[in-house]
Amino acid sequence: IVNRASRPALGRPPDRDFARGVRLFGTLLVCAMVVIVLFVLPINLVLERPVIESLLFAVALAVGLSPELLPAIITVTLAAGARAMGRRGVIVRRLDAIENLGSMDILCTDKTGTVTEGRIALHDALAPDGTADDGVLRLAYLNAAFETGIENPLDAAVVAAGEGAGLTTEGFLKIDELPYDFQRRRLTMVVADGGDPASHIIVTKGAFDNVLTCCDTVDAGGKTTPLDPAISAGLEAIFAAKGQAGFRVLALATRAIAARASYAREDERGMTFRGFLVFHDPPRPDAAKTIEALGDLGVRIKVISGDNQHVTAHLARIIGLDPAAMLTGQQLASLTDEALWHLAPRTDLFVEIDPQQKERIVRALQRTGHTVGYLGDGINDAPALHAADVGISVEGAADVARESADIVLLSRDLDVLREGVEDGRRTFANTLKYISITTSANFGNMVSMALAAPFLPFLPLLAKQILLNNFLSDIPSIAISSDNVDAGAIAVPQRWSIREIRRFMVVFGLISTVFDLLTFSVLLLVFEAGESAFQTAWFVTSLLTELAVVLVLRTHRPAFRSRPGRLLLWSTVAVSAATLAIPYLGRLSGVFGFVPLPGSLLVTMVGIVAGYILVTEAAKAWFYREKREA
């Protein structure tokens, strides 16, 4: 049984990790808003408060829960990340791919040109007995030089070697061509020798197994010999030995046939095995170091290649991957989806893989909860690039590969990709800071007002005061995109966790609620504040707590040990000063229903804010300690 999962059309982007997280977060907010409205509105109606005023208050509470600048924050944060990556030679074609790059915990990569240098050269042209053979080079040159399909580095290497040996196509005429495809894995050229117009020569080169199956004879020193099991075993031994030495090996076969106008795949039979083409593509000198560095960042590398298992295993040993953790295309084709879900995360090397299988591997890894990146540059990589959470290609890649990619590297240097991962994690961390902190602060304030409203002779805040509170508290949040990020947040993949956001919102939101209720009690029982004084004092206190808590909760470490970004720090200071000044601005404060506060009341509110900061810092230490123990 092969893949049963339906695949979207290539032009329709799949639902990626970050987009799924945003959608789930939106669902969480909607549920919380509905609960607040259904709780607050009936209670106010039972207390016989004006319907319109009660409805506006309930809706304002619900709206106040949402981080209303989230779209702007995400855009600003992603744009800042894109600029930083651009300076490192990384072009971001789709902004939210930056977040997915930060979430990536598995990077699937093609072999050629990514973990190898991509400078393929023809090392040897060998006869079936393993000795050098210029005749094999001539036949291979005719096959590659007449090829009119998609350019590829193997044909280019054959042509370069042939021209270097003084070969030309003079005296030969191309009759027909059977293009390469990923099922046959062969390229066939039919040529005519000018000296013998009555016959044509079929020249086929391709993957060793796929060419060998077309042959029933072998060229042995100029004599044609039946291809028996013993000879086949000898050919396979040469193929395996070259692969284990790190060479990529293709096979070459020919057939003489009476001349005719056209040819078909059925003519690829009854051929004579003529020899081997041995190519060299050394691993990148920095590949092992970069793979180790990505591993330290929690990103596991998986090589997905169409090459044979021997050469891929040799490469794996050099770059630090496990050559035993291997799955071939033939084995994969026999697996059910469920079996592949089990095996894919534990496999480092996927070899002899066709393009559809590349996509299937990516989807299997996603199905098991991983955020998957795919790095490729060929036409055969396009389906996998499209399916991955973040598709990565390189400058000079095939057009369809670049169009399918979300990120394009201006150099093939994997270390640039490592830096991109770190930039993506900074961007994701700052986005989650805004979401978690703002949602928890808003949740705490909304719960406070929802609980207090039934027991107060007036609303704790007017609808316009709630909206002003949210507007002012969001001004410093725009600066979060430039905030510093702790090293611990860069060291591991960043993932959406709605459960974690909900837990964060409840824990720190309810701490805020406790201090809010304390503030209400002080205002009513100690200062006996009237409606305007109460609303003014509560506005100042709630806004100061929202501003201060950003500096506390922006880091998992103690706040004094983590330096905030300069723009975030000074914008927070500026809005805090404005908050303290608003009640004393005369006409402007009157528009929003504020009144000047006595000095003793203002000092008390600031003291409550200081106490809130200390308790929140202590709760933060407990919260993240519990998380580490879990």
Side-chain angles (χ1 to χ4, degrees), residues 37 151 177 182 192 259 290 299 348 351 355 377 400 462 470 507 568:
V37 172
E151 294 183 4
E177 177 178 355
F182 295 102
T290 304
V299 180
D348 283 352
V351 299
D377 61 357
V400 68
L462 301 176
N470 286 320
V507 169
L568 175 62

Side-chain angles (χ1 to χ4, degrees), residues 597-618:
L597 298 176
S600 58
L601 177 54
L602 189 60
V603 170
T604 301
M605 295 299 102
V606 173
I608 290 176
V609 172
Y612 169 70
I613 293 173
L614 294 176
V615 171
T616 301
E617 186 67 59

Side-chain angles (χ1 to χ4, degrees), residues 7 181-183 353-361 374 379-384:
R7 299 185 178 95
D181 63 61
F182 295 102
Q183 284 70 45
I353 298 297
D354 65 42
Q356 287 70 35
Q357 289 178 328
K358 291 184 178 184
E359 179 188 2
R360 188 181 174 204
I361 292 165
Y374 188 90
I379 293 175
N380 57 334
D381 295 313

Side-chain angles (χ1 to χ4, degrees), residues 136-326:
V136 173
L137 175 59
R138 171 172 287 279
L139 291 169
Y141 176 76
L142 293 175
N143 177 282
F146 281 125
E147 197 257 342
T148 58
I150 300 168
E151 294 183 4
N152 68 84
L154 295 176
D155 282 339
V158 171
V159 171
E163 291 176 347
L167 300 179
T168 69
T169 59
E170 185 176 353
F172 291 90
L173 177 66
K174 175 181 174 181
I175 303 301
D176 205 351
E177 177 178 355
L178 303 179
Y180 180 90
D181 63 61
F182 295 102
Q183 284 70 45
R184 291 164 45 249
R185 301 181 71 195
R186 299 185 293 264
L187 168 65
T188 293
M189 205 67 56
V190 184
V191 298
D193 186 340
D196 184 10
S199 67
H200 292 160
I201 304 172
I202 300 177
V203 184
T204 297
K205 79 172 189 303
F208 173 77
D209 290 336
N210 298 68
V211 171
L212 190 63
T213 58
C214 299
C215 300
D216 54 20
T217 58
V218 61
D219 179 73
K223 297 181 180 179
T224 301
T225 303
L227 186 61
D228 58 34
I231 294 177
S232 294
L235 297 175
E236 290 173 358
I238 294 174
F239 169 72
K242 291 297 181 181
Q244 290 164 3
F247 295 103
R248 184 172 181 178
V249 182
L250 298 184
L252 186 80
T254 62
R255 177 188 176 192
I257 191 170
R260 64 173 188 260
S262 63
Y263 294 82
R265 296 179 181 180
E266 291 73 21
D267 294 308
E268 296 175 330
R269 59 181 176 82
M271 305 189 78
T272 299
F273 190 93
R274 296 299 299 267
F276 303 92
L277 301 172
V278 181
F279 299 88
H280 185 46
D281 184 19
R284 299 182 64 88
D286 60 346
K289 181 180 178 181
T290 304
I291 288 174
E292 182 181 2
L294 286 170
D296 292 340
L297 291 174
V299 180
R300 184 174 177 182
I301 303 296
K302 296 182 182 295
V303 173
I304 304 179
S305 175
D307 287 355
N308 71 76
Q309 55 185 299
H310 304 297
V311 65
T312 309
H314 175 271
L315 176 69
R317 283 188 287 269
I318 295 175
I319 64 177
L321 299 180
D322 182 6
M326 178 185 292

Side-chain angles (χ1 to χ4, degrees), residues 82-95:
R83 286 197 302 272
M85 294 174 70
R87 289 191 292 269
R88 293 182 170 92
V90 180
I91 297 175
V92 179
R93 298 184 66 248
R94 191 169 57 82
L95 277 180

